Amino acid sequence: MLTIQSSYRSWRKPITARQDAAATLRIAAQLMTVVVGLVVLVAVLDLAQMILAPVALAIIIGLMLGPLADRIERVGIPSWISAAAMVVLFVTLLGLAMTGFAVPLADWLDKLPAMWRKLQAGLTDWQGVIASVVGLGEQLRGALGQKAAMSVNVEDGSTVESVAYLAPAIFAQVLMFLAALYFYIATRKNIRLGVLSLCFSRRLRWRIAHAFRDIETLVSRYLLSITVVNIGLGIVVSLVMWALGVPSPLLWGLLAGVLNYVIYIGPAIMAFLLFGVGLASYPDITGALTPPLVYLAINLTEAQFVTPHVLGRTMTLNPFLVFLSIAFWIWLWGPVGGFIAVPCLLIVYAVVTNIVPVVPVSERRSV
């Protein structure tokens, strides 16, 4: 009997090891399939940027304007009229913003030569530090066996030629964005019903319906709230820059409000720009640091107190995930990606929380 048991155990162990190896290979194959699929998805998003970027931006804006279109349709107005009204409203607001940029920007361009001369004079005191940094870089390149000198190749072609080349593509993207915005708002209910009709079970249909509801609620609430906060931020920055004597304070207030849509990166760019303006506007380094430091204080107050109070704690996302999303989308689609990064993260959050089944903590412990 002992001999039979020992032979059974010696026969069972290789079978178990082979089964574990096969299971491991299956899991590895599934993971590799997911990785390859993600790589292909990123490649498609990159290659089809000219088409997908304006369409994605239109969907995000459509999610923001969707609740307003619903209120218009409740009084009996057809969906195609409400969609056209939303497109006209968005174009009007965008035109007003561009007009607000145009007047102070023209004043800034007039003052730019004089401010550039002041900036060059202010940078004279930093020549020693810059020369030391450049010398250190050359020494490091020499130690690594690289060429110390850098060659710069300037390609032929004027700015007018570049603009003439890019203008048709930009115009086509704008038209595609407006068309996608109109058709999405006009047909968003039909899209929702079409997706729900593909669900085979009642429970899955219920989950997807709640996902649609949460996506529109979260994205609309986020963008509308952030827009109100950014308008207030722009007004405060304009008033503070005017009090500090910074040239064209309205321009910097508008720019602060626009760049604040791209959290983390936008305020950093704004602080850098204000530092350059401070160097050109003030005679010493203390004065040059005043505008960016004051702006960072205002932005910190807005980010830590105003925005959480307006949005509420229920929409708080992991800052690391937000940073990764912004970095990924800016790398992929540039400024458009920076704008849609957080809304895309909210969409993923709504889909995951509604579609993926979540086991309560009490049930996990009991299991």
Side-chain angles (χ1 to χ4, degrees):
M1 184 68 181
L2 183 60
T3 306
I4 295 175
Q5 289 181 350
S6 60
S7 61
Y8 171 75
R9 290 173 183 174
S10 62
W11 169 79
R12 183 184 178 186
K13 287 181 180 179
I15 298 297
T16 305
R18 286 196 296 269
Q19 290 176 348
D20 292 341
T24 303
L25 290 176
R26 283 197 303 270
I27 295 174
Q30 293 173 356
L31 290 177
M32 290 303 299
T33 303
V34 172
V35 170
V36 171
L38 291 176
V39 171
V40 172
L41 177 62
V42 172
V44 171
L45 291 175
D46 187 22
L47 294 174
Q49 176 182 354
M50 186 175 178
I51 297 176
L52 295 181
V55 172
L57 182 61
I59 292 174
I60 297 299
I61 300 297
L63 289 172
M64 179 181 68
L65 299 176
L68 183 57
D70 288 336
R71 293 185 179 183
I72 295 177
E73 294 171 9
R74 288 195 189 105
V75 298
I77 297 177
S79 60
W80 65 272
I81 296 180
S82 65
M86 293 300 99
V87 173
V88 172
L89 175 62
F90 179 79
V91 172
T92 302
L93 294 176
L94 188 62
L96 291 175
M98 294 179 66
T99 303
F101 269 109
V103 176
L105 186 59
D107 184 41
W108 168 260
L109 292 176
D110 292 337
K111 297 179 180 179
L112 191 58
M115 298 186 70
W116 175 245
R117 288 192 293 269
K118 291 183 180 179
L119 180 61
Q120 287 179 320
L123 290 175
T124 304
D125 299 333
W126 294 77
Q127 287 182 352
V129 179
I130 296 174
S132 300
V133 173
V134 172
L136 179 60
E138 292 179 353
Q139 293 177 4
L140 289 175
R141 285 192 293 269
L144 294 174
Q146 300 177 356
K147 295 181 179 180
M150 295 179 61
S151 60
V152 180
N153 297 324
V154 180
E155 297 181 355
D156 295 333
S158 62
T159 305
V160 177
E161 294 176 353
S162 300
V163 172
Y165 176 77
L166 293 176
I170 296 175
F171 183 71
Q173 286 185 316
V174 171
L175 287 181
M176 189 173 298
F177 164 76
L178 294 176
L181 179 61
Y182 170 78
F183 286 113
Y184 174 77
I185 296 177
T187 63
R188 68 192 187 283
K189 293 182 179 179
N190 295 330
I191 294 174
R192 182 182 306 176
L193 293 176
V195 173
L196 292 177
S197 65
L198 298 176
C199 301
F200 298 101
S201 65
R202 183 177 180 182
R203 185 172 183 81
L204 180 60
R205 189 180 302 111
W206 180 85
R207 287 181 176 179
I208 293 179
H210 279 72
F212 272 109
R213 181 202 62 187
D214 291 347
I215 287 172
E216 187 165 327
T217 300
L218 290 175
V219 174
S220 177
R221 180 182 174 188
Y222 170 78
L223 289 178
L224 290 175
S225 301
I226 288 297
T227 299
V228 173
V229 170
N230 290 348
I231 291 173
L233 176 68
I235 294 173
V236 173
V237 171
S238 297
L239 293 175
V240 171
M241 294 299 118
W242 173 77
L244 293 176
V246 177
S248 304
L250 181 59
L251 174 63
W252 307 120
L254 289 171
L255 196 58
V258 172
L259 289 177
N260 203 51
Y261 280 103
V262 185
I263 58 177
Y264 304 146
I265 299 177
I269 296 175
M270 188 64 200
F272 178 77
L273 293 176
L274 287 178
F275 177 67
V277 173
L279 284 176
S281 305
Y282 294 93
D284 54 359
I285 188 64
T286 303
L289 288 173
T290 301
L293 290 179
V294 172
Y295 164 75
L296 289 176
I298 297 172
N299 183 264
L300 181 64
T301 304
E302 172 266 323
Q304 297 297 324
F305 300 101
V306 179
T307 300
H309 179 73
V310 173
L311 292 179
R313 298 296 178 182
T314 57
M315 292 187 65
T316 302
L317 297 173
N318 190 311
F320 181 65
L321 294 179
V322 173
F323 176 78
L324 289 180
S325 178
I326 292 174
F328 171 77
W329 285 108
I330 287 181
W331 167 74
L332 194 64
W333 285 352
V336 174
F339 179 81
I340 70 172
V342 177
C344 286
L345 195 61
L346 291 173
I347 292 173
V348 172
Y349 171 78
V351 171
V352 170
T353 53
N354 283 281
I355 303 301
V356 178
V358 179
V359 181
V361 178
S362 59
E363 295 184 9
R364 295 179 195 171
R365 292 177 180 176
S366 62
V367 176

